Amino acid sequence: MGGQVSIDENVYVVIVGGGFGGIAAAQHLKHHGVPFMLIDILDAFHHNVAALRASVQAGFAKQTFIPYKETFGLNFLQGRIIQIDNTETQTVVLDNGKQVRYSHIILCTGTSGQFPGKHNSVDTYQSAIQKYEDLFQIQEANTVVVVGGGTTGVEMAAEIRTEFTNKNVKLCIHTQIDFEVADPDLLPSVKEQAKQVLLEKGVELLLGQKVTNLDELELNVCRKGMVVKTNKSEQVTADLVICCTGNKINSEAYRSSLTACMAENGALKVNKHLQVEGFDSVYAVGDCADLDEPKLAYHAGLHAAVAATNIINSLTGKSLTSYRTGNVTMLIAMGKDAGVGQFNGYKLPRFLVTKGKSQSLLLWKSWREMGQKAPN
């Protein structure tokens, strides 16, 4: 292949995490003939941008998981990394005791959070698909409470009301500014537009209210008569409670070995080349990189290209490239028929977001990049 480079036999890149950043880095290295191993806890890439729709639309979940083996073959290993040895031995250690040597490492560990927005357990994709199908019991619930007014909560509430227009959907929003919804980095006009779409769809907004008994509630299971309590002494009776809060940087793989390089939130401090501070051969991309920008699949892909390119450049004697944050680009799918967002800091018309993201959730893009055909 014309893009391949001549490299030393000791070069071996380990990519920790097979999310959007991980598969982008793997494809880049594969194209250039750089030996690598992609390691993830699942045996398939999860296009989690579509995870919420998978929980409300029967049969949809199978489109959101793309097997790694069919794309990367022997360059994929399933398992959970619990330690990175960054001494002279340079190995990663899996929870089953297996060790994998590396010359360079790209950390793409992402964030962990509540199901259905995130799926963070060691699993087969067939089992993961079934978990989303099981949540389809939403059809049995009359009143659904979605906890969390961030982007995930907004999308979840909108997906439910789009698919089930007869459901009573309440969205609990607890922010410093009561009337704001979605990501705080969005333009005020885009956040206001998201709020209007929710209201148009018939979602009831419980503004400025924090659920106080979340630990006592059974999540993602239809249970008639559950009582949701808030800090404003309000009680809401629900048949189904879905939590869309609490995403955290997934630092388990590097917590013990790169503690000195971690920011307070668990992300890794990086330089302009996305190298972890103090380590020329360790890169962090996506959510686990401590960069002042929203945590988005779009950004993870940009980071991955920089990290993989810099590994190749370091092997061929070329200068390293730099990553620079830009104006916020974010598209929020609010059901298949609506969406709001902005591009490079400018508000987009709703119809463009709907056509560009909401209808397909960009699933076609991931299947194409993985070189596979989506199931019907």
Side-chain angles (χ1 to χ4, degrees):
M1 186 181 293
Q4 294 193 340
V5 295
S6 177
I7 56 176
D8 186 273
E9 62 181 8
N10 292 321
V11 171
Y12 195 73
V13 182
V14 167
I15 303 170
V16 183
F20 288 94
I23 64 167
Q27 291 287 30
H28 197 90
L29 296 174
K30 180 181 177 181
H31 175 74
H32 290 280
V34 178
F36 70 91
M37 181 64 75
L38 173 65
I39 303 175
D40 194 84
I41 59 175
L42 269 174
D43 59 356
F45 165 71
H46 185 204
H47 184 95
N48 58 19
V49 171
L52 304 179
R53 190 166 299 170
S55 66
V56 302
Q57 200 173 107
F60 189 79
K62 63 184 179 181
Q63 298 182 44
T64 68
F65 291 91
I66 311 175
Y68 291 118
K69 284 286 187 183
E70 293 184 27
T71 301
F72 301 116
L74 296 177
N75 295 112
F76 169 72
L77 176 65
Q78 185 178 9
R80 184 188 295 276
I81 292 178
I82 58 173
Q83 185 180 351
I84 297 172
D85 184 347
N86 51 26
T87 63
E88 291 183 6
T89 58
Q90 292 192 224
T91 57
V92 296
V93 181
L94 280 67
D95 57 1
N96 62 3
K98 184 176 178 63
Q99 298 186 19
V100 181
R101 179 191 64 82
Y102 70 88
S103 61
H104 300 75
I105 188 166
I106 304 177
L107 296 166
C108 318
T109 58
T111 51
S112 60
Q114 297 279 355
F115 182 86
K118 296 285 186 178
H119 186 287
N120 294 112
S121 58
V122 176
D123 214 341
T124 64
Y125 71 92
Q126 291 94 341
S127 176
I129 288 171
Q130 188 57 50
K131 289 177 181 176
Y132 280 96
E133 291 298 324
D134 290 343
L135 187 55
F136 187 62
Q137 63 183 294
I138 193 171
Q139 62 186 324
E140 302 170 10
N142 293 318
T143 300
V144 182
V145 171
V146 178
V147 182
T151 300
T152 304
V154 165
E155 291 184 329
M156 183 80 257
E159 288 286 352
I160 297 170
R161 279 291 299 184
T162 302
E163 196 68 20
F164 302 101
T165 55
N166 62 327
K167 303 297 180 189
N168 182 11
V169 179
K170 301 176 186 291
L171 179 61
C172 285
I173 303 168
H174 180 62
T175 60
Q176 291 180 340
I177 304 177
D178 288 352
F179 58 85
E180 286 194 347
V181 300
D183 194 285
D185 291 312
L186 285 168
L187 294 169
S189 60
V190 177
K191 287 182 280 192
E192 178 60 27
Q193 195 173 53
K195 178 183 174 183
Q196 291 306 314
V197 173
L198 289 171
L199 294 174
E200 288 171 14
K201 286 182 174 288
V203 176
E204 182 180 345
L205 305 181
L206 304 179
L207 298 175
Q209 301 199 39
K210 182 177 182 179
V211 175
T212 56
N213 66 330
L214 192 61
D215 293 341
E216 303 169 10
L217 301 172
E218 193 169 0
L219 303 177
N220 304 328
V221 176
C222 190
R223 293 282 185 268
K224 300 291 184 180
M226 286 190 289
V227 177
V228 179
K229 300 177 182 178
T230 78
N231 62 337
K232 289 193 174 179
S233 300
E234 184 165 344
Q235 295 190 3
V236 180
T237 301
D239 307 316
L240 179 65
V241 179
I242 300 174
C243 183
C244 295
T245 65
N247 283 355
K248 296 180 180 179
I249 305 297
N250 192 351
S251 61
E252 179 187 24
Y254 56 79
R255 190 182 304 131
S256 62
S257 54
L258 297 173
T259 306
C261 311
M262 288 171 56
E264 189 174 338
N265 66 352
L268 289 162
K269 300 174 183 177
V270 294
N271 61 19
K272 63 182 181 181
H273 308 305
L274 299 185
Q275 295 165 310
V276 175
E277 289 186 356
F279 297 92
D280 292 342
S281 60
V282 181
Y283 293 80
V285 309
D287 294 355
C288 70
D290 186 33
L291 297 170
D292 185 19
E293 61 184 12
K295 305 298 184 183
L296 301 172
Y298 170 72
H299 290 144
L302 297 178
H303 301 171
V306 170
T309 297
N310 281 338
I311 289 175
I312 294 169
N313 286 356
S314 69
L315 298 173
T316 55
K318 296 180 181 178
S319 299
L320 301 187
T321 187
S322 300
Y323 177 77
R324 294 178 178 84
T325 57
N327 294 320
V328 174
T329 293
M330 189 183 304
L331 308 179
I332 301 178
M334 301 184 68
K336 57 193 173 187
D337 59 357
V340 303
Q342 63 190 60
F343 178 78
N344 201 25
Y346 292 93
K347 179 182 175 183
L348 292 171
R350 282 171 54 172
F351 79 90
L352 279 182
V353 182
T354 302
K355 186 173 181 61
K357 181 181 181 182
S358 303
Q359 291 177 354
S360 69
L361 295 175
L362 302 177
L363 275 163
W364 59 269
K365 186 173 184 291
S366 287
W367 283 96
R368 185 184 68 183
E369 290 175 354
M370 292 285 278
Q372 298 182 45
K373 186 177 180 181
N376 295 323

